[in-house]
Amino acid sequence: VFIHMESSLYSLPCNPIEMEVDHPTYHWVQDRAASKLFSVTKEGHLLFRHFQAGNSGKYSCTISYKKYGIPVSQTFHYSILGYHVLGALHTVVLFHSKLCEDKWTKKFLQDLQDKLGQLEMEQHCKVQLTAILCFPSLNSPSDEFIVQVELEVSLFGPHWDEHCNSQDVEMAIDCYHKTVQHNLGQVQLALTKFFKEHKSFHITGADSLSVNFTNEFVGFLKTKQCSEGYGQTKQLQRCLDCCIVCPPGTFSSAKTRQCTPCPVGNYSPIYGMAFCTPCKDGMITRVPGASSMRDCVRQERTTQVISIEHRIPVLILIMLPALLGLNCLFILSSFYRFCREYWVPSPVASKKTGGTTVMETVITFFSIHSHSPRVGPEAGPASDTSAVDTSTPQGGVEESTAGALSTDMTSDLATVTDETTPMLTQEVRKDSF
């Protein structure tokens, strides 16, 4: 059953079919709600004088009577959801003032709302303050301020549907749409007249100081948005753009058209919530969309998890030096590989260095043999060099041979730098023997 918000004197029968019984009694109860008294007519109809979002829910009605002297009872179940058609008026009013302090603006807003109360009763609407801003005036920024007041006007006030008393859903919805369009124009005219008549608000403080708030501009914007606690779920097939009340476990804030599940750690126990209620400290819900405080449970944290959390800083301090050492080794190894790859001497320089070393070794070797005296039983005293030269003709041969080798070796050594070391060594040995 769908009932429009702020419906006047909407009645719901206990039994959906006509029953002719003697002396019946009726008993209405609502699920998920504390025991309370309901307005029930003598025919057993449940009566809603001004239907609100919180009146939505699951209801049960039990009818009891006697049939052939035997007590009989029947129970009927209903799911009641509130809804509303689209239509609202957004109003912006600018006021000039000499002060921009909270204590003065609060008194001014209170006086403004009190005066708007009479307009609400006459136009069957609700005027709600949504925002207030205060900033310096462009003309005189040093001693004048602009106070911007934003008002949201809902057309669904008490008795707004006094001309739509049909119990037929299709006829009622059609009447609601026409009434909203008519009331939008009427409320806009009424607000324009109101701010012309109340051009200035004179506010007096406790210290006898007074401040004037003078309005200069009034702007209107017709909007089509859901009220807080309502969303477009398209459950009502006869009015697909109507806003349906958000069920428990969901919410909708201002200027939104969808009902959103409550996030983890929050819950909404009734229909039409504009915000979710957070769980108590140290408690959380397991999944989003919780609809009862019983869904809040304590966070499960085992001893092992807590122990690991306490050990994490110590483990970081232990591992930090090792990580720094590995990082240094990696940098050094990278530097070493770079040096080996790009700083090795050229092959030509290596060959020259090796050839020069071999050449020096060969020169030293032959110098020793060419200048050392003969040692043997036939050799004379070391001082008698002439005897050696005359008595031993081979000595002259050896000397000349050594001299020849020295000359040949010099020519061979001149080319040793262009040839390999093993070839040079073999030639020298061949000439020596």
Side-chain angles (χ1 to χ4, degrees), residues 36-296:
K36 61 181 180 180
L37 297 176
F38 296 97
S39 297
V40 181
T41 65
K42 63 178 182 179
E43 294 84 8
H45 292 196
L46 182 63
L47 186 63
F48 295 102
R49 298 188 180 276
H50 298 287
F51 189 86
Q52 303 293 325
N55 297 132
S56 302
K58 297 184 182 298
Y59 290 78
S60 298
C61 178
T62 301
I63 178 172
S64 302
Y65 57 93
K66 287 185 177 181
K67 188 175 183 180
Y68 305 113
I70 300 174
V72 179
S73 63
Q74 285 183 274
T75 302
F76 302 93
H77 302 279
Y78 294 91
S79 179
I80 301 177
L81 296 173
Y83 79 99
H84 72 81
V85 297
L86 293 176
L89 191 66
H90 187 72
T91 306
V92 179
V93 188
L94 300 180
F95 292 87
H96 290 267
S97 174
K98 294 294 183 180
L99 294 176
C100 188
E101 298 178 5
D102 288 343
K103 65 177 184 179
W104 293 102
T105 55
K106 286 181 180 180
K107 290 182 178 181
F108 157 65
L109 292 176
Q110 184 62 45
D111 189 25
L112 175 62
Q113 290 179 324
D114 291 343
K115 289 182 170 58
L116 285 172
Q118 183 64 31
L119 183 144
E120 290 179 330
M121 295 178 60
E122 295 175 354
Q123 299 297 324
H124 307 293
C125 64
K126 293 181 180 179
V127 181
Q128 182 181 3
L129 176 67
T130 57
I132 180 170
L133 300 173
C134 188
F135 46 88
S137 173
L138 294 177
N139 297 329
S140 181
S142 60
D143 59 353
E144 188 177 27
F145 296 90
I146 301 295
V147 180
Q148 178 177 315
V149 179
E150 298 184 17
L151 303 172
E152 193 71 30
V153 182
S154 172
L155 304 176
F156 312 118
H159 306 290
W160 78 277
D161 62 338
E162 56 186 7
H163 302 294
C164 303
N165 53 8
S166 174
Q167 295 291 321
D168 182 82
V169 177
E170 291 187 8
M171 293 181 63
I173 292 176
D174 183 61
C175 182
Y176 294 152
H177 279 106
K178 292 179 179 179
T179 302
V180 166
Q181 295 302 318
H182 177 267
N183 289 353
L184 273 174
Q186 295 298 316
V187 170
Q188 183 173 344
L189 292 175
L191 283 172
T192 302
K193 181 181 178 181
F194 173 85
F195 285 110
K196 284 183 178 180
E197 294 177 351
H198 299 81
K199 192 69 177 178
S200 179
F201 291 81
H202 186 76
I203 307 301
T204 303
D207 50 1
S208 299
L209 293 177
S210 61
V211 178
N212 287 328
F213 291 82
T214 306
N215 74 74
E216 177 187 10
F217 171 81
V218 178
F220 299 97
L221 177 64
K222 296 180 180 179
T223 61
K224 289 188 176 182
Q225 60 191 27
C226 295
S227 301
E228 292 183 342
Y230 287 79
Q232 289 183 328
T233 60
K234 297 184 179 181
Q235 291 174 269
L236 184 56
Q237 296 297 320
R238 297 179 181 89
C239 185
L240 295 179
D241 63 341
C242 286
C243 301
I244 312 299
V245 66
C246 296
T250 64
F251 75 101
S252 72
S253 57
K255 299 182 180 180
T256 58
R257 292 191 177 186
Q258 300 295 330
C259 296
T260 307
C262 290
V264 173
N266 297 265
Y267 66 95
S268 62
I270 61 175
Y271 288 83
M273 292 292 292
F275 55 88
C276 297
T277 304
C279 295
K280 295 181 179 179
D281 294 340
M283 303 188 75
I284 195 172
T285 57
R286 299 184 185 275
V287 293
S291 59
S292 174
M293 187 174 61
R294 293 189 296 270
D295 296 327
C296 297

Side-chain angles (χ1 to χ4, degrees), residues 236-425:
L236 184 56
Q237 296 297 320
R238 297 179 181 89
C239 185
L240 295 179
D241 63 341
C242 286
C243 301
I244 312 299
V245 66
C246 296
T250 64
F251 75 101
S252 72
S253 57
K255 299 182 180 180
T256 58
R257 292 191 177 186
Q258 300 295 330
C259 296
T260 307
C262 290
V264 173
N266 297 265
Y267 66 95
S268 62
I270 61 175
Y271 288 83
M273 292 292 292
F275 55 88
C276 297
T277 304
C279 295
K280 295 181 179 179
D281 294 340
M283 303 188 75
I284 195 172
T285 57
R286 299 184 185 275
V287 293
S291 59
S292 174
M293 187 174 61
R294 293 189 296 270
D295 296 327
C296 297
V297 296
R298 294 197 175 277
Q299 299 185 22
E300 297 178 357
R301 299 180 66 192
T302 61
T303 305
Q304 184 179 3
V305 173
I306 297 175
S307 177
I308 292 175
E309 290 179 354
H310 287 297
R311 292 179 183 177
I312 286 177
V314 180
L315 293 174
I316 293 175
L317 292 176
I318 293 174
M319 295 176 64
L320 187 59
L323 293 174
L324 292 175
L326 291 174
N327 193 20
C328 292
L329 288 176
F330 175 76
I331 294 174
L332 291 175
S333 62
S334 301
F335 181 75
Y336 175 72
R337 287 196 299 270
F338 177 83
C339 292
R340 289 196 60 184
E341 182 176 355
Y342 295 100
W343 290 0
V344 172
S346 63
V348 176
S350 299
K351 288 182 180 181
K352 290 182 178 180
T353 303
T356 304
T357 304
V358 173
M359 182 179 67
E360 292 175 357
T361 304
V362 173
I363 292 173
T364 304
F365 174 79
F366 284 104
S367 297
I368 293 173
H369 282 275
S370 61
H371 295 86
S372 62
R374 290 181 59 87
V375 178
E378 297 181 357
S383 60
D384 192 2
T385 58
S386 60
V388 174
D389 296 335
T390 57
S391 61
T392 308
Q394 294 180 358
V397 174
E398 288 180 1
E399 185 176 354
S400 62
T401 304
L405 286 173
S406 299
T407 304
D408 297 336
M409 182 183 64
T410 303
S411 61
D412 290 338
L413 290 176
T415 60
V416 74
T417 56
D418 298 329
E419 297 177 0
T420 59
T421 301
M423 293 176 63
L424 175 62
T425 304

